[in-house]
Amino acid sequence: MSYWLETAADDLRPRPALEGSCEADVAVLGAGYTGLWTAYYLLRRDPGLRVVLLEKEISGFGASGRNGAWCSPSMSVTAPELARRYGREAASRMLRAVRDSIDEIDRAAREEGLDIGFRKGGVLRVARGRHELPAVRASYEGLAALGLAGGCRLLSAAELEERVRVAGAEGAFFDPQGAVIHPGRLVRGLARAVERRGGVIYERTAVEDFRPGKRPVLVTGRGEVRARVVVLAGEAYLARLRRTRRQVLPIYSLIVLTEPLSRERWEEIGWGRHECLSSCRLSVDYLSRTEDGRILFGGRGAPYHFGSAIRDEYDRDEATHAMLRRSLVDWFPSLRGVGFTHAWGGPIGVKRDWMPTAAYDPSSGVAAAYGYAGQGVAVSNLAGRILASLITGEDEERLRDLPVVNHRSRSWEPEPLRWLAVRYIQHALARLDERGRRTGRPPTGRSLAERLSRH
């Protein structure tokens, strides 16, 4: 169990499972952020809808209850790459919609009386060494080119130190739009809000397949749910279904959490504004500060598993968790000897082109939103609103005219090519990070691993 579910102040005993087949207007696979937001906005639009959600474990079991607490103003595809693919105007609209979703989450939580620990302190992308300075500048320039750099700043090392004291930091990019939340309180509270509005959630009910058609069906070992529309909101776990196996790649992201720090230690570190922190490593790291004074440190590094396998035992990888503990002390040497109380992990879903989708095909009755690649807290809210608009047919041009709407990606390569490519990229990016740290030279962007993983 993650710290977030452990401290969600909610009864985690499973809701009743599905017993026999039933009918619905909308049947949703997955009771994480995407499925719950979709159900929530559908029921806000039409309280008479019969909305049924099917969850293999409990609401929030997956990434929604395990993430790094970031409500990020970014998405899995960078601003320059969005502009290259879709043009400047579409890229700007896409990122504005993601940023607006941060405030929408806060607004909806307040309306539903949910205490989600929302703190809008922004995001600091830190250059830990001069080799990361070009990436810091590129972050700013990418947003400035889209007219989205209002309030953003490039910080010198001295200016950064006034906010947070990170060892080896040469500067940073600050974006004021990011926020941190309590993920567990959000997902568990959202499930209760859906039920208050008439939705029904069946837990411990695994969807084994779905059948598209005029009356699409979610198939479980406990019965079938026939509906007008089925919604696939399983994120990385869609890799377990035959029809979507190669549409999403499950990559594991792992997290460690410290004990609450003393006031003296916080005075040494600074970090009083609750910014989200990350460096510019190709291998990805991310930090956040909890309400009770702990530091969360997360990152990639756990190996991809052949066949896109997802198993509970993969949530822990001692070598990766040990690396994350060392990395935290490397960021903040004054924390040497600090205690760690929690370690967990889980899969994130990555599409072949890194671009998430929010899609609905009326001819098949199937809607889907997934592929957030670790940037899903805000984007899943946006996806839920998009799907509600598409399913109900209520025209919201500002939502429907976005690059993620009905986006299609090519499938991932079959095994063993998939395993060979992903493991090569994981190892190669780690080597590039180490070479940059050792030599002070930034990555060129021309290596095979960088070109294969460009987004």
Side-chain angles (χ1 to χ4, degrees):
M1 185 185 299
S2 73
Y3 167 83
W4 303 125
L5 289 184
E6 181 182 301
T7 59
D10 196 38
D11 185 353
L12 298 181
R13 287 177 297 182
R15 292 171 169 84
L18 178 70
E19 295 293 346
S21 297
C22 69
E23 302 276 340
D25 293 310
V26 180
V28 182
L29 181 164
Y33 290 149
T34 300
L36 291 168
W37 281 126
T38 302
Y40 177 77
Y41 288 111
L42 282 170
L43 291 165
R44 279 179 59 104
R45 290 166 180 264
D46 186 351
L49 285 174
R50 295 171 298 165
V51 179
V52 172
L53 297 95
L54 303 180
E55 168 57 49
K56 182 177 184 294
E57 300 292 346
I58 64 171
S59 301
F61 171 81
S64 301
R66 308 188 200 184
N67 60 74
W70 283 46
C71 202
S72 173
S74 303
M75 56 187 298
S76 48
V77 179
T78 63
E81 183 64 12
L82 280 172
R84 187 189 70 80
R85 294 183 191 183
Y86 304 107
R88 180 181 180 277
E89 195 272 335
S92 179
R93 282 190 286 105
M94 183 71 248
L95 288 177
R96 286 184 192 278
V98 173
R99 289 161 174 253
D100 289 345
S101 297
I102 297 172
D103 292 329
E104 170 61 16
I105 290 170
D106 183 39
R107 186 208 62 77
R110 290 176 185 274
E111 180 178 312
E112 296 298 330
L114 307 181
D115 175 13
I116 63 170
F118 187 89
R119 289 157 287 151
K120 197 171 186 181
V123 176
L124 279 170
R125 196 164 185 224
V126 180
R128 297 202 63 230
R130 65 181 186 275
H131 62 292
E132 294 186 359
L133 283 171
V136 163
R137 289 191 292 270
S139 295
Y140 178 83
E141 291 164 359
L143 289 179
L146 299 180
L148 298 176
C152 297
R153 293 181 58 202
L154 287 173
L155 304 179
S156 67
E159 289 171 322
L160 174 63
E161 190 170 345
E162 293 176 1
R163 291 174 173 266
V164 58
R165 288 178 277 284
V166 177
E170 298 281 347
F173 165 65
F174 173 67
D175 185 338
Q177 294 301 317
V180 288
I181 59 166
H182 188 297
R185 296 209 296 262
L186 174 57
V187 71
R188 300 296 297 183
L190 191 55
R192 295 193 305 273
V194 166
E195 290 176 317
R196 285 195 300 270
R197 291 178 177 271
V200 177
I201 303 173
Y202 293 110
E203 297 183 341
R204 294 293 171 90
T205 303
V207 174
E208 299 170 353
D209 195 7
F210 65 94
R211 295 198 299 268
K214 180 175 281 190
R215 194 72 177 165
V217 178
L218 292 182
V219 180
T220 84
R222 295 177 170 273
E224 298 182 347
V225 181
R226 294 175 292 274
R228 179 169 58 84
V229 178
V230 299
V231 177
L232 307 179
E235 187 55 357
Y237 295 91
L238 293 177
R240 287 175 162 172
L241 297 182
R242 174 178 57 87
R243 297 173 189 268
T244 51
R245 191 180 312 279
R246 286 174 54 198
Q247 286 299 303
V248 61
L249 187 84
I251 294 291
Y252 274 77
S253 190
L254 272 57
I255 286 170
V256 296
L257 187 73
T258 72
E259 63 190 358
L261 304 186
S262 67
R263 184 182 63 185
E264 291 74 22
R265 275 184 151 158
W266 279 118
E267 288 174 351
E268 291 175 343
I269 294 170
W271 201 2
R273 305 182 197 183
H274 293 267
E275 301 97 335
C276 304
L277 301 182
S278 73
S279 74
C280 300
R281 293 176 71 240
L282 298 172
S283 302
V284 182
D285 51 24
Y286 50 92
L287 296 80
S288 60
R289 175 177 174 172
T290 68
E291 291 175 294
D292 64 349
R294 304 166 186 263
I295 295 179
L296 177 150
F297 195 106
R300 313 285 161 80
Y304 165 76
H305 299 280
F306 190 88
S308 294
I310 299 174
R311 297 178 184 168
D312 288 345
E313 56 264 35
Y314 297 160
D315 295 346
R316 292 177 179 271
D317 181 82
E318 187 47 46
T320 305
H321 278 135
M323 178 270 291
L324 296 174
R325 295 184 189 101
R326 292 192 302 271
S327 296
L328 176 62
V329 175
D330 188 48
W331 274 65
F332 303 113
S334 65
L335 295 185
R336 190 171 305 279
V338 71
F340 290 85
T341 60
H342 295 73
W344 70 88
I348 62 173
V350 181
K351 298 195 73 183
R352 184 61 177 78
D353 61 359
W354 290 80
M355 186 70 177
T357 188
Y360 174 47
D361 176 12
S363 66
S364 68
V366 177
Y370 59 95
Y372 308 126
Q375 299 276 1
V377 176
V379 181
S380 62
N381 172 273
L382 174 61
R385 287 183 284 129
I386 290 170
L387 291 188
S389 173
L390 294 174
I391 291 168
T392 60
E394 294 183 12
D395 188 24
E396 284 198 44
E397 186 176 346
R398 66 187 180 86
L399 292 180
R400 293 190 180 199
D401 191 25
L402 294 172
V404 294
V405 177
N406 291 322
H407 172 72
R408 293 184 179 274
S409 305
R410 59 182 283 198
S411 297
W412 282 94
E413 287 71 13
E415 297 290 18
L417 292 177
R418 186 159 75 245
W419 183 85
L420 290 169
V422 176
R423 295 297 287 131
Y424 163 75
I425 290 170
Q426 287 181 314
H427 284 297
L429 294 182
R431 288 195 299 270
L432 286 169
D433 283 334
E434 175 56 27
R435 187 176 69 184
R437 186 196 65 79
R438 189 179 65 252
T439 66
R441 294 196 298 271
T444 63
R446 296 191 298 271
S447 70
L448 178 60
E450 290 171 275
R451 286 186 282 118
L452 288 174
S453 61
R454 181 168 293 135
H455 57 283

